[in-house]
Amino acid sequence: MELKQAMEAATAELDVRPGFVGDVMAGGRRRHTRKLVTVTAVVALLAGATAGVMVTRTTETEPADARVTAAPTGPFADNADLLATAAHLWTDAQKEPWKPTEPVAEVTSPPNVFWTGQAMSGPVALVAQEIRVRNSARPATLVGLVADGAVVSREVVTEETKSREAGLYRFGPAGDQYVVLTLGKTVSWSLKADRGTDHRLSRLWASAPHDADGAVYTVVQPSDRPVFVRGDSVPKSDDFAQQAILGSGYYPQGPFMPHPGVGWNGQQCATDGPPQPASWPGTNVPTAQQELQKRALLDYLVSWDSAGTWSVCAWLPDGRYALMFEAYGELYGALYRPDGTFSAPAFGGRAVKGQPAVLPLPDGQGTIVADFNGYLGPDGREHAWLAPAGTKEVTVVQQGASTVVQLP
């Protein structure tokens, strides 16, 4: 019986209250008094009978990760059929080849369901299993989510990487359901950021309580730009410098609505270098992004297509250095003083594929205009040009065709 069918049968008498969608369910604390001997035996039998890799017990000592043997928590912790079905689906998924991100050499314990929860489509289960990874003698943990009759996602957690465990699982037909492990911290999440007239952003945050054995379930539409963070406290509304939780594959489908971007790669410069050799700490694109995030001017970057893979630099008439880049289909800039410290932000319009990128600079420093592989301005500078202050238009030649671009 598939997990969904088993879970539907096990929960047929349950009635999900109105307003359930979007609410949060946090797992309960570990139940030390319940041994669940029968359930453990069923799970072990299923694991041994269906595993695609040999299951061996190398020692009788306590596992490095307590989740490997922890009693299940959550609303279905006592449902033996549901737990056994989840363990069976987990083990059956190992018949497929391990992914490149899963350096599993040996499975050394049966799967263990350590948390259960109620999702829109039915119950879900978090599973942990002790493994050995290549080139290491230390035990590691394979942990993931079983939902809708399949293993949604799983993650290898080693002694070296446990502080960086993502513990975020996105699932459902619309990709709008999330289970997030608390990992001993407070899990907070937020929807779309609002931008004020001063360009500063703000986010409202919801949170689940600090619970080392818990998990959070919530429903958020991808178009609402959800961001999840895990920490000791709930972020402030203007705090965009926290480390966002990135799920497996860096959100390959993107929690935010994707944008086409301009499609450029690499760094080009709109001016020649300064006459005096100088070191510019601000030439690194992520540093520019972080500078704007620290000032609540740029949103969290939580998907692989959040930011472009290009930038344009320029040395300015007043001795400062500017960097233009793309994020969420919009153009941004960061200005740096000669000593490399951040000076000022800059904002452009949309980054549209097939059109030149235009970024007006503050303080009368001109306008950066870029069109990779094109020739710009009266001297036909390749890729990018810094138009002097007061310039109203620039001619761009791309593949032999000329276009006149109006400047703000």
Side-chain angles (χ1 to χ4, degrees):
M1 182 183 296
E2 291 187 354
L3 178 64
K4 186 175 180 181
Q5 295 172 318
M7 290 182 170
E8 286 174 350
T11 59
E13 301 301 321
L14 294 180
D15 182 23
V16 178
R17 59 179 175 78
F20 170 78
V21 178
D23 286 356
V24 178
M25 177 177 295
R29 296 211 175 262
R30 190 175 306 155
R31 303 181 180 189
H32 295 283
T33 57
R34 185 178 290 108
K35 299 302 182 182
L36 292 176
V37 176
T38 304
V39 174
T40 303
V42 171
V43 171
L45 178 61
L46 284 170
T50 62
V53 221
M54 180 179 293
V55 177
T56 60
R57 273 291 186 186
T58 55
T59 65
E60 295 299 325
T61 60
E62 282 292 313
D65 191 326
R67 294 175 294 186
V68 171
T69 56
T73 62
F76 309 109
D78 295 328
N79 193 313
D81 289 339
L82 188 146
L83 300 178
T85 302
H88 171 74
L89 289 169
W90 176 269
T91 303
D92 197 50
Q94 295 174 7
K95 294 177 181 178
E96 299 295 326
W98 298 105
K99 299 176 183 178
T101 56
E102 300 171 335
V104 179
E106 180 187 27
V107 174
T108 57
S109 80
N112 181 56
V113 177
F114 65 92
W115 180 87
T116 65
Q118 174 68 51
M120 283 197 303
S121 54
V124 295
L126 284 167
V127 182
Q129 186 171 32
E130 188 174 272
I131 58 172
R132 298 282 178 175
V133 296
R134 294 189 292 272
N135 302 321
S136 177
R138 296 181 176 181
T141 305
L142 187 67
V143 59
L145 180 73
V146 178
D148 300 333
V151 176
V152 171
S153 182
R154 61 193 182 192
E155 180 178 6
V156 173
V157 181
T158 66
E159 183 68 24
E160 294 76 20
T161 65
K162 64 180 180 181
S163 63
R164 303 191 301 274
E165 179 178 354
L168 185 149
Y169 304 97
R170 180 173 176 234
F171 63 102
D176 58 355
Q177 299 180 66
Y178 298 83
V179 168
V180 191
L181 287 168
T182 59
L183 300 178
K185 300 289 186 178
T186 296
V187 170
S188 303
W189 62 98
S190 172
L191 305 186
K192 286 180 180 178
D194 293 322
R195 191 182 293 277
T197 56
D198 59 354
H199 290 292
R200 284 176 56 84
L201 297 168
S202 63
R203 278 181 171 272
L204 296 177
W205 293 89
S207 64
H210 179 111
D211 187 341
D213 299 325
V216 172
Y217 168 77
T218 190
V219 179
V220 184
Q221 295 299 322
S223 58
D224 284 331
R225 295 190 173 190
V227 170
F228 296 86
V229 299
R230 185 186 290 116
D232 295 324
S233 60
V234 180
K236 296 180 180 179
S237 61
D238 62 349
D239 185 355
F240 288 80
Q242 297 291 323
Q243 178 62 54
I245 303 174
L246 303 178
S248 175
Y250 196 39
Y251 282 151
Q253 297 177 344
F256 292 13
M257 296 300 289
H259 64 83
V262 296
W264 300 336
N265 289 288
Q267 184 184 70
Q268 304 295 338
C269 280
T271 63
D272 295 330
Q276 301 272 333
S279 174
W280 298 94
T283 59
N284 182 300
V285 173
T287 298
Q289 294 167 347
Q290 291 167 3
E291 292 285 5
L292 297 190
Q293 287 174 324
K294 285 192 299 185
R295 293 160 176 83
L297 298 173
L298 177 63
D299 204 357
Y300 285 90
L301 302 177
V302 294
S303 63
W304 63 268
D305 63 348
S306 297
T309 56
W310 63 273
S311 65
V312 174
C313 68
W315 282 266
L316 307 182
D318 67 359
R320 285 183 292 176
Y321 173 89
L323 193 69
M324 175 171 73
F325 60 94
E326 169 193 352
Y328 295 124
E330 296 179 325
L331 298 170
Y332 291 85
L335 277 65
Y336 294 85
R337 301 180 186 90
D339 64 359
T341 58
F342 181 82
S343 173
F347 300 93
R350 295 291 298 171
V352 181
K353 191 170 186 178
Q355 296 182 15
V358 177
L359 181 72
L361 300 176
D363 306 324
Q365 296 303 296
T367 302
I368 298 177
V369 185
D371 198 359
F372 281 30
N373 300 316
Y375 298 89
L376 302 88
D379 297 327
R381 186 180 181 90
E382 190 175 11
H383 304 303
W385 179 53
L386 177 61
T391 304
K392 298 301 181 183
E393 61 182 33
V394 57
T395 299
V396 179
V397 179
Q398 184 71 256
Q399 297 180 344
S402 296
T403 303
V404 177
V405 179
Q406 301 299 318
L407 302 185

